[in-house]
Amino acid sequence: MIARRHANAGLFVVLAALFGVSFVAIKAGLAAIPPLLFAAIRFDVAAPFVLAYAAWRYDDWVPRDRSDLVSVAVGAVALVAANNGLLFLGQQTTTPATASVMYGLNPILAPAFAYLLLDQRVDRLGFAGVLLGLVGVVIIVQPSPATLTDASTLGQLYVLGAAVVVALGSVLLRRFESTIGSVPMTAWAMALGAGLLHVASVAAGESLAPGAWSRTVLLSILSLGLFSTAMAYPIYFALIRRIGPVRTNLVAYLVPVVAALTGWVLLDEPVTLATVAGFVVVVAGVVLLERQVIREEAARAYDALAGGGAAASSDD
């Protein structure tokens, strides 16, 4: 049991690192590749690997009924195409640290949509947590008549839109009891979503500039497609099965730390005081919203430490 918990903790840290690095990889690649095309290429690289994994790991990995097809469609439109399209558009003018904090609002926004669409109640403290998370957004964006037309502010709002789409898509998926596994569903959604992003890219008139395939761009594509997508997503869904979706989604609050550090080291991207303050406020909102989960995890950690100390004493 203890070994399994240590394995889960290790996977959790690896997932935070993979997701955190993705914001830096996106920022680096956007210097040469248009945003919608870059988002499509991400899944061009990742989808074949995840589909191959699904075919190897699952007996029923092909969508078979209407609920399966609806789940794949929701995943493709919301979680892949709209989510990544908005995220990549937003990161053109935002730093990895700021984008990751804004994107980390997904676990706060999801309960709000669950309340509206699934009639899942949020108590007063939970509702206060949601509001506190939105206050964190205001601190980061600092809206005013002057800043609302600023490119960086519009970029932050694009990323916020991506977080909204992810939260809404996740809640919509709960309405359908599909028989296909979560990993195969994600694999097919990646493949379909990549096609939708290519269509959007063509419609927007995007094209690659001559000489776009530099070493930095290729490294960002491979890092994003193989590690932060094809490898990260199976870990994400494995953790959902092992420790549940609520605890797994707490990874969103380690991701900004990784994104800020890697962005600072690799791209010399600054971390502003507003981003740090907004992150602290958002985390405070999460503590209120997920206080029961955090309390349970703290109790488990304390019991594990106390048990280890008792075992050491008995050995003496």
Side-chain angles (χ1 to χ4, degrees), residues 146-228:
T147 60
L148 284 178
T149 57
D150 184 74
S152 63
T153 301
L154 291 175
Q156 292 166 5
L157 294 177
Y158 273 130
V159 178
L160 178 59
V164 170
V165 168
V166 169
L168 177 59
S170 300
V171 171
L172 287 175
L173 283 177
R174 297 179 195 173
R175 297 176 66 96
F176 308 106
E177 296 183 0
S178 59
T179 59
I180 193 172
S182 57
V183 173
M185 186 277 293
T186 303
W188 289 109
M190 284 181 179
L192 177 58
L196 294 174
L197 284 166
H198 277 294
V199 171
S201 175
V202 172
E206 293 183 344
S207 61
L208 280 174
W213 300 107
S214 66
R215 178 183 298 178
T216 299
V217 170
L218 290 175
L219 285 175
S220 68
I221 290 173
L222 292 176
S223 170
L224 185 62
L226 294 179
F227 298 106
S228 296

Side-chain angles (χ1 to χ4, degrees), residues 4-290:
R4 186 175 180 83
R5 286 184 181 177
H6 287 168
N8 291 340
L11 287 175
F12 191 90
V13 173
V14 170
L15 184 64
L18 292 174
F19 279 167
V21 170
S22 71
F23 287 89
V24 179
I26 293 170
K27 186 71 175 180
L30 285 172
I33 306 177
L36 297 177
L37 179 59
F38 191 16
I41 292 173
R42 172 184 192 173
F43 294 100
D44 289 340
V45 173
F49 289 95
V50 183
L51 277 170
Y53 173 79
W56 168 71
R57 180 66 178 79
Y58 293 82
D59 293 330
D60 296 327
W61 64 282
V62 178
R64 298 185 182 279
D65 56 29
R66 182 177 178 275
S67 63
D68 291 346
L69 294 174
V70 171
S71 295
V72 169
V74 170
V77 173
L79 302 182
V80 175
N83 164 33
N84 283 270
L86 289 169
L87 177 62
F88 281 58
L89 284 167
Q91 277 210 248
Q92 288 181 298
T93 54
T94 59
T95 66
T98 301
S100 62
V101 172
M102 298 290 283
Y103 197 71
L105 282 168
N106 170 31
I108 283 184
L109 295 169
F113 284 118
Y115 173 77
L116 294 173
L117 299 176
L118 304 178
D119 199 27
Q120 294 183 359
R121 300 295 176 179
V122 178
D123 60 20
R124 291 182 178 180
L125 283 178
F127 185 71
V130 173
L131 293 180
L132 200 56
L134 297 179
V135 170
V137 172
V138 174
I139 292 174
I140 296 171
V141 176
Q142 300 180 25
S144 69
T147 60
L148 284 178
T149 57
D150 184 74
S152 63
T153 301
L154 291 175
Q156 292 166 5
L157 294 177
Y158 273 130
V159 178
L160 178 59
V164 170
V165 168
V166 169
L168 177 59
S170 300
V171 171
L172 287 175
L173 283 177
R174 297 179 195 173
R175 297 176 66 96
F176 308 106
E177 296 183 0
S178 59
T179 59
I180 193 172
S182 57
V183 173
M185 186 277 293
T186 303
W188 289 109
M190 284 181 179
L192 177 58
L196 294 174
L197 284 166
H198 277 294
V199 171
S201 175
V202 172
E206 293 183 344
S207 61
L208 280 174
W213 300 107
S214 66
R215 178 183 298 178
T216 299
V217 170
L218 290 175
L219 285 175
S220 68
I221 290 173
L222 292 176
S223 170
L224 185 62
L226 294 179
F227 298 106
S228 296
T229 308
M231 183 183 294
Y233 275 60
I235 292 176
Y236 178 72
F237 287 110
L239 284 175
I240 286 177
R241 290 197 301 270
R242 293 182 181 186
I243 64 176
V246 175
R247 290 185 174 93
T248 300
N249 280 329
L250 293 178
V251 75
Y253 301 100
L254 282 180
V255 168
V257 178
V258 177
L261 289 175
T262 52
W264 175 60
V265 171
L266 298 178
L267 301 179
D268 198 26
E269 292 279 2
V271 180
T272 66
L273 180 60
T275 298
V276 175
F279 173 69
V280 171
V281 174
V282 168
V283 170
V286 174
V287 170
L288 282 178
L289 185 63
E290 307 292 357

